[in-house]
Amino acid sequence: MEQWQTVCQQSDLIQDTGICALLNHEQVAIFFCRHSQQLYALSNYDPIGQANVMSRGIIGSLGDQKVVASPLYKQHFSLHSGECLEAPEYRLKTYEVRLNQGKVQLRIN
């Protein structure tokens, strides 16, 4: 049985800007992309800068890929896979996220 945790309301989201939520003691960066109308959820921890800052990153695209740029050293991470485009040995954890009746929910594993 799937389990989802509500982390905020849809009205808490700001288009093209990240917010940080807490899921089981892990910080999760949640982004709502205005262009694609999609939600993305990634670890808030930047493995290169070694700080919880990804929710403050700038989202955009490189080619066909939606990305978030770390606010520290500007590496780009895929919003879909979490892979760092400049340093593939680094990857952000990704989370399943959905909008359910105005609530933003993360899947609990």
Side-chain angles (χ1 to χ4, degrees), residues 18-98:
I19 63 169
C20 184
L22 197 59
L23 177 69
N24 296 333
H25 307 289
E26 293 181 22
Q27 291 188 23
V28 180
I30 299 171
F31 298 94
F32 178 67
C33 179
R34 178 181 43 189
H35 180 71
S36 66
Q37 295 291 299
Q38 287 191 317
L39 285 169
Y40 302 94
L42 305 162
S43 172
N44 195 42
Y45 186 75
D46 177 343
I48 298 171
Q50 299 184 353
N52 287 305
V53 295
M54 294 308 297
S55 63
R56 297 190 179 260
I58 298 172
I59 65 170
S61 58
L62 289 177
D64 296 340
Q65 198 154 183
K66 300 284 184 230
V67 297
V68 58
S70 170
L72 294 177
Y73 300 116
K74 314 303 182 212
Q75 289 89 3
H76 298 92
F77 292 87
S78 167
L79 288 171
H80 290 283
S81 69
E83 179 182 0
C84 180
L85 301 185
E86 290 85 7
E89 65 272 25
Y90 294 100
R91 178 180 296 265
L92 301 177
K93 184 177 178 181
T94 59
Y95 300 84
E96 288 188 55
V97 60
R98 73 178 183 185

